[in-house]
Amino acid sequence: MRHLLSIDDLDREGIERVLDRAASFAEVAGREIKKVPALRGRTVVNLFYEASTRTSSSFELAAKRLSADLVSIRAATSAVAKGESLKDTIATLTAYDPAAIVIRSPHAGAAKLVAGWSDAAVVNAGDGKHEHPTQALLDVFTLRQRLGSLDGVKIWIVGDVLHSRVARSDILAFTRMGANVTLSGPPTLIPRGIEALGCDVEPTLERLPEADVVYVLRMQHERMSEAYVPSLREYAMRYQIGLDRLRPEQLLMHPGPVNRGVELSGDAIDSPQALIGQQVEAGVVVRMAVLYELLAGAGAARVLPTRMEVAA
Ligand code: NCD
């Protein structure tokens, strides 16, 4: 794997390899000293053109725990705010000879463009409504830890699928790992023809009790240019997931940030069946595994010098 732009860059075996590596990093995360020297002397650039708490902080921690040198750029405080184009920004950053560039952008396809402009391994940390592959990998990791395997597991993804890059990457990853995926939400928020990705669509929550896992999406107001639902109150009445709609055995997931009281009720967020905290925790070790796989794994573009070469 040269870049991670989409879940399509990984077959089932590739996903399993990254997740097994993440599990070995989870063991390191349990130690008092959480750092390994794997990427010593390599430079990782984080370039975030959109708001982020979880994804940016976990990529930063992941690079640091692998001993890489890290440059973190936020569009609001960089020359991007002065009008520099993405291409010129990448040309500037190339002067530092980064081994990896992690990019989040409001534009679908931005990560792919960067991969064409730079020699660095590129990780898509979310490109518009398109994909968010590391979120899907950490979601699979969290479920694998809990259930052992996703084969035959029934996963319902509920809410604003239309604007969700998480949904697109999750559908690809969950089905590749053997799960059955059903989408549910207001018809205006379910893209037409999405069944082609290998999932089912249910316009109501009537059959929600059949799910093993309920994965709830945020209402993504920042991507809505028109009214997709009559009102948030109406949406909440029909689709909000609360403990009243869940069986105690069903697992509950959400990528964060949560709009408390809109797509999820407070009691559900704070219940023991919610895996939201475990998903955040998985973010660091899964992103360590992705950076490791790209920069030091078997298929890495530039192989690390051996100990002897360094000494010579
Ligand atoms: C998601 C994103 O940015 O796409 N958040 C995340 O990365 N944890 C989902 C969202 O913003 O709703």
Side-chain angles (χ1 to χ4, degrees):
M1 178 171 65
R2 171 94 177 80
H3 306 287
L4 180 60
L5 307 177
S6 157
I7 284 295
D8 271 333
D9 292 327
L10 291 163
D11 54 14
R12 179 170 177 154
E13 211 173 89
I15 294 178
E16 282 170 351
R17 192 174 57 241
V18 171
L19 299 190
D20 289 344
R21 176 85 60 195
S24 73
F25 286 136
E27 188 267 315
V28 176
R31 296 186 202 152
E32 195 175 331
I33 303 211
K34 305 187 191 313
K35 229 172 159 100
V36 291
L39 299 186
R40 198 163 48 193
R42 319 289 296 275
T43 302
V44 174
V45 172
N46 276 357
L47 189 51
F48 278 69
Y49 285 86
E50 240 191 26
S52 172
T53 303
R54 277 151 277 265
T55 308
S56 60
S57 59
S58 59
F59 265 114
E60 283 191 22
L61 267 182
K64 286 177 177 167
R65 289 188 181 174
L66 292 168
S67 306
D69 293 324
L70 173 72
V71 180
S72 284
I73 295 165
R74 293 269 184 173
T77 55
S78 73
V80 171
K82 298 181 182 171
E84 190 169 53
S85 74
L86 179 58
K87 192 170 185 182
D88 289 340
T89 303
I90 297 301
T92 304
L93 295 169
T94 299
Y96 306 136
D97 191 21
I101 297 176
V102 177
I103 175 162
R104 166 167 289 191
S105 162
H107 304 296
K112 193 169 179 196
L113 282 176
V114 173
W117 294 330
S118 160
D119 289 337
V122 175
V123 184
N124 181 5
D127 62 332
K129 302 190 285 187
H130 178 228
E131 274 216 50
H132 191 356
T134 59
Q135 177 71 43
L137 290 174
L138 75 87
D139 289 335
V140 175
F141 181 86
T142 305
L143 282 174
R144 239 182 37 150
Q145 261 189 330
R146 184 63 176 242
L147 302 171
S149 154
L150 269 66
D151 278 311
V153 173
K154 294 192 182 71
I155 305 178
W156 275 52
I157 299 179
V158 179
D160 179 6
V161 177
L162 182 66
H163 300 100
S164 177
R165 53 197 173 206
V166 173
R168 239 161 296 271
S169 291
D170 269 344
I171 295 166
L172 293 174
F174 291 161
T175 51
R176 200 151 293 181
M177 298 304 288
N180 302 315
V181 176
T182 302
L183 310 177
S184 187
T188 47
L189 291 175
I190 305 285
R192 200 168 295 175
I194 190 128
E195 294 93 334
L197 293 181
C199 50
D200 298 320
V201 173
E202 286 281 341
T204 72
L205 295 181
E206 220 169 290
R207 295 176 60 192
L208 189 73
E210 293 173 15
D212 302 303
V213 177
V214 179
Y215 194 109
V216 181
L217 299 169
R218 184 173 66 86
M219 285 292 271
Q220 293 166 74
H221 309 287
E222 76 277 19
R223 294 191 218 291
M224 293 185 192
S225 48
E226 49 188 287
Y228 287 87
V229 290
S231 71
L232 285 182
R233 207 170 143 263
E234 177 100 349
Y235 174 83
M237 257 166 54
R238 285 177 194 267
Y239 294 101
Q240 184 186 89
I241 302 296
L243 290 185
D244 54 338
R245 284 204 159 115
L246 291 174
R247 289 183 293 109
E249 304 77 33
Q250 288 177 310
L251 298 174
L252 176 65
M253 299 176 82
H254 189 296
V258 177
N259 284 323
R260 214 172 248 266
V262 180
E263 68 268 7
L264 274 182
S265 71
D267 63 354
I269 300 168
D270 302 327
S271 75
Q273 65 202 97
L275 300 179
I276 300 169
Q278 285 92 318
Q279 288 172 269
V280 176
E281 214 177 294
V284 178
V285 293
V286 167
R287 287 169 175 131
M288 283 174 82
V290 167
L291 290 174
Y292 185 93
E293 177 76 14
L294 288 169
L295 303 184
R302 280 190 289 179
V303 178
L304 284 176
T306 63
R307 225 173 254 270
M308 268 163 62
E309 281 169 336
V310 171

